[in-house]
Amino acid sequence: MENIEMNQKCVHILQNWDPFGFGINSYDTETADVVAALQGIDDPTELAKVIQKVYEYSFEQWIPFERCVAIAYKLIAVKFEAKCII
């Protein structure tokens, strides 16, 4: 899986997450920030902290950390799937 395809899958996951119920097209900036951060992060807990911070900063609303961890695991799984395909 190419990096572009991995990024597209992660964007799709984040767009469909919709943590505040604003609609899937409401998080373009946050999605881009999280996908960019994912490039250098392999730990779901660390990624979850970034996700929580990015969304909280943009929307001034708090997301429970457990929800951020759940989405972080999905994103990390896509990343590792991309790394494992030769």
Side-chain angles (χ1 to χ4, degrees):
M1 181 186 313
E2 291 184 30
N3 205 28
I4 294 170
E5 187 179 340
M6 180 198 82
N7 288 347
Q8 289 172 338
K9 283 188 173 191
C10 291
V11 165
H12 182 74
I13 289 167
L14 285 165
Q15 285 178 333
N16 286 306
W17 184 39
D18 193 11
F20 301 121
F22 295 152
I24 63 170
N25 294 320
S26 301
Y27 307 99
D28 292 342
T29 301
E30 296 72 30
T31 296
D33 289 348
V34 171
V35 171
L38 177 62
Q39 307 307 312
I41 298 174
D42 290 336
D43 176 49
T45 302
E46 187 179 337
L47 182 61
K49 290 176 186 175
V50 171
I51 292 168
Q52 190 178 47
K53 183 177 170 183
V54 164
Y55 282 80
E56 185 177 332
Y57 179 80
S58 293
F59 294 97
E60 297 181 352
Q61 292 187 45
W62 183 78
I63 302 173
F65 190 65
E66 297 78 23
R67 290 182 59 204
C68 297
V69 169
I71 197 76
Y73 269 102
K74 291 179 183 180
L75 298 172
I76 295 287
V78 170
K79 181 177 181 178
F80 282 125
E81 177 188 348
K83 284 183 176 181
C84 292
I85 295 175
I86 298 174

